[in-house]
């Protein structure tokens, strides 16, 4: 199974996606998602300039060796650009191996550990009433878990509250990032009561909330305490996770479950958080954390420490990543939940796939491989357009975490 071609395809069917496509001498193809939101061409160029030439002539079946070759061989280890590139190669090679075996990928990962993958969607609204309405529509569609984000009285814009609810998209096309404003004081004043109103209306629903790295550990500890009686499924990214020791402060004050990891690409970045049981859910993804191979190692470490998985699945993770994530989720023993935000019809046209949603759960389907392809003609109709994630400033103009 010699690799004869490795190509990067960049397209923008509503938002930017970077896809790696690998072809073997037997004519098998595999694809991997290499999208890094707001910095897409950095990974595209790393792949096409440095990684693709190294793949030619190598055995597509030696997935672990390839991972080690690209990780150790670069000398410059880790980081989001390098790890996203490795993720794409690893995913594409698993796709090829499963296609060669004539099996859906999850069968190569040990088979099913469950019947379906529990997913959550986003209910975002400027007011609590809007959020309640949106949660209601999720419940009507069978969802068992919903993430709730609210506008903050006194602030003009808030993370997670966009104009298009169905296809929520945080990156904006344009020359500069949008600037949002933030006040921790106003946020902490309004959010516990807002979540409380959703809990009153939906006593049995799993509720999640994303703080998006905006608090200090002691502020997060306080919020966690105030939310305890509302029994959140999780409180996500309460503080920036670079300072892993900061989570000891949060943990020692509250029993609200904590989810972290969408920006952390390696097992070493997560070692303290998982090893000291400072978190309950690990949120890194196939696309960010070195593909299926490395994510499985992270999940195994997590399993040892009673931490479950909760993979990132916003719209900047392409249908290729979503398909791979569902095979991983179906097979991994310590699965928790999967984030799932539907892509636009244009994106689904570019990436035809076999995964499906039904009554709160998803399934990757039974096609050999990942069960997703890229329609290159359709992709060609949607050329790349630069887009940035927003930035965030305090009310006095100070830059703050987004
Ligand atoms: O690219 C960044 C987005 O995917 C991120 O803002 C979404 O925080 C997010 C989430 O939990 O889905
Ligand atoms: Mg998040």
């Amino acid at each position: 199974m010699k690799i004869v071609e490795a190509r990067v395809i960049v397209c923008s069917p509503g938002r930017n996606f970077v896809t790696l496509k690998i072809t073997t001498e037997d004519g098998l193809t595999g694809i991997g998602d290499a999208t890094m939101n707001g910095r897409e061409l950095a990974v595209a160029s790393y792949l096409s300039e440095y990684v693709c030439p190294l793949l030619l002539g190598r055995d597509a079946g030696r997935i672990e060796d390839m991972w080690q070759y690209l990780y150790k061989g670069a000398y410059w280890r880790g980081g989001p650009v390098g790890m996203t590139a490795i993720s794409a190669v690893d995913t594409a090679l698993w796709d090829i191996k499963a296609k060669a075996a004539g099996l859906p990928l999850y069968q190569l990962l040990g088979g099913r550990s469950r019947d379906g993958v529990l997913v959550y969607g986003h209910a975002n609204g400027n007011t609590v009433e809007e959020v309640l309405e949106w949660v209601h529509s999720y419940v009507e569609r069978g969802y068992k878990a919903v993430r709730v984000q609210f506008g903050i009285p006194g602030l003009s814009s808030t993370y997670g509250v966009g104009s298009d609810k169905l296809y929520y998209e945080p990156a904006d096309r344009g020359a500069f990032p949008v600037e949002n404003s933030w006040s921790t004081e106003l946020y902490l004043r309004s959010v516990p009561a807002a979540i409380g109103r959703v809990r009153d209306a939906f006593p049995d629903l799993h509720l999640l909330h994303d703080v998006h790295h905006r608090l200090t550990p002691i502020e997060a500890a306080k919020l966690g305490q105030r939310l305890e009686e509302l029994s959140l499924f999780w409180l996500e990214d309460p503080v920036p996770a670079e300072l892993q020791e900061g989570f000891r402060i949060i943990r020692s004050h509250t029993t609200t479950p904590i989810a972290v990891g969408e920006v952390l690409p390696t097992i070493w970045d997560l070692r303290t958080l998982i090893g000291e049981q400072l978190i309950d859910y690990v949120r890194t993804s196939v696309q960010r954390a070195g593909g299926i191979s490395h994510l499985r190692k992270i999940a195994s470490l997590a399993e040892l420490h009673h931490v479950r998985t909760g993979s990132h699945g916003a719209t900047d993770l392409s249908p290729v990543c979503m398909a791979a994530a569902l095979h991983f989720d179906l097979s991994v023993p310590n699965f928790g939940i999967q984030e799932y935000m539907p892509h636009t019809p244009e994106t689904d046209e570019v990436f035809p796939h076999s995964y499906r949603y039904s009554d709160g759960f998803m399934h990757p389907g039974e096609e050999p491989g990942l069960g997703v392809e890229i329609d290159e003609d359709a992709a060609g109709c949607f050329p790349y357009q630069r887009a940035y994630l927003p930035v965030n400033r305090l009310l006095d103009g100070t830059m703050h975490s987004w």
Side-chain angles (χ1 to χ4, degrees):
M1 281 214 300
K2 268 207 178 93
I3 296 172
V4 293
E5 191 181 52
R7 270 187 310 117
V8 178
I9 303 154
V10 180
C11 62
S12 195
R15 67 146 9 268
N16 294 320
F17 293 112
V18 179
T19 308
L20 174 70
K21 182 168 184 176
I22 295 178
T23 307
T24 69
E25 60 188 346
D26 331 66
L28 285 176
T29 59
I31 53 178
D33 181 16
T35 309
M36 191 168 103
N37 206 1
R39 297 292 188 271
E40 293 86 2
L41 297 187
V43 185
S45 136
Y46 184 72
L47 275 170
S48 50
E49 295 297 322
Y50 301 104
V51 176
C52 291
L54 298 178
L55 304 181
L56 301 181
R58 288 183 189 279
D59 181 356
R62 294 182 62 184
I63 301 177
E64 182 63 31
D65 181 63
M66 186 75 86
W67 198 99
Q68 302 292 336
Y69 180 71
L70 294 175
Y71 184 82
K72 293 177 178 160
Y75 185 68
W76 309 107
R77 296 177 181 214
V81 175
M83 290 305 289
T84 305
I86 294 178
S87 301
V89 175
D90 185 83
T91 308
L93 295 185
W94 276 108
D95 190 18
I96 288 171
K97 195 177 269 295
K99 282 178 179 162
L103 293 169
L105 174 60
Y106 74 82
Q107 292 289 9
L108 300 193
L109 306 180
R112 281 192 302 118
S113 288
R114 55 197 52 79
D115 298 331
V117 172
L118 177 70
V119 293
Y120 73 90
H122 298 187
N124 310 316
N126 280 310
T127 63
V128 180
E129 285 68 29
E130 273 179 48
V131 174
L132 285 169
E133 210 175 291
W134 199 230
V135 173
H136 183 69
S137 89
Y138 272 107
V139 171
E140 281 192 323
R141 284 177 278 149
Y143 277 77
K144 320 286 181 248
V146 181
R147 188 190 87 164
V148 290
Q149 306 293 134
F150 311 85
I152 298 168
L155 294 185
S156 53
S157 58
T158 306
Y159 157 70
V161 181
S163 48
D164 189 334
K165 292 194 171 54
L166 191 55
Y167 302 116
Y168 172 67
E169 173 51 63
D172 288 291
R173 289 170 175 167
F176 295 98
V178 166
E179 303 225 345
N180 287 331
S181 57
W182 180 255
S183 156
T184 296
E185 198 185 348
L186 294 178
Y187 168 74
L188 290 178
R189 204 180 286 167
S190 66
V191 84
I195 299 178
R197 285 189 55 197
V198 182
R199 172 51 78 219
D200 288 346
F202 298 93
D204 301 326
L205 194 63
H206 292 311
L207 292 179
L208 301 84
H209 179 68
D210 190 349
V211 187
H212 227 263
H213 325 108
R214 293 174 181 210
L215 302 180
T216 63
I218 204 68
E219 290 164 350
K222 177 90 182 148
L223 177 62
Q225 282 178 348
R226 293 184 64 190
L227 296 175
E228 266 168 31
E229 62 180 21
L230 303 178
S231 297
L232 282 194
F233 188 94
W234 78 35
L235 184 67
E236 177 180 337
D237 285 334
V239 299
E242 296 98 303
L243 184 67
Q244 301 192 21
E245 294 83 347
F247 284 81
R248 293 183 189 136
I249 297 174
I250 305 174
R251 205 55 160 176
S252 63
H253 284 93
T254 178
T255 57
T256 292
I258 305 293
V260 173
E262 65 184 51
V263 302
L264 300 179
T266 73
I267 198 164
W268 298 282
D269 300 307
L270 289 154
R271 203 163 53 102
T272 304
L273 293 175
I274 293 174
E276 291 188 28
Q277 304 181 45
L278 299 176
I279 60 173
D280 300 278
Y281 295 92
V282 58
R283 265 183 64 63
T284 196
S285 62
V286 173
Q287 179 211 56
R288 189 69 56 238
I292 294 282
S293 301
H294 195 64
L295 190 59
R296 289 181 87 204
K297 290 181 187 171
I298 293 172
S300 295
L301 179 69
E303 184 192 2
L304 213 71
H305 293 92
H306 307 289
V307 174
R308 289 190 280 163
T309 67
S311 292
H312 188 201
T315 46
D316 48 299
L317 294 94
S318 88
V320 182
C321 179
M322 180 53 61
L326 293 172
H327 288 279
F328 167 78
D329 295 336
L330 201 62
S331 61
V332 72
N334 50 327
F335 169 74
I337 200 165
Q338 170 69 50
E339 182 179 22
Y340 167 57
M341 286 302 284
H343 290 105
T344 60
E346 294 84 357
T347 298
D348 285 342
E349 181 198 335
V350 171
F351 298 99
H353 52 76
S354 65
Y355 62 74
R356 58 183 188 280
Y357 166 86
S358 168
D359 199 29
F361 292 86
M362 289 186 76
H363 195 285
E366 297 295 335
E367 294 288 315
L370 295 174
V372 59
E373 294 298 336
I374 181 163
D375 177 335
E376 294 193 50
D377 291 337
C381 300
F382 301 102
Y384 169 80
Q385 294 185 41
R386 187 160 61 193
Y388 286 107
L389 288 165
V391 298
N392 196 26
R393 289 185 187 275
L394 301 181
L395 296 178
D396 69 358
T398 307
M399 274 296 291
H400 196 60
S401 298
W402 183 75

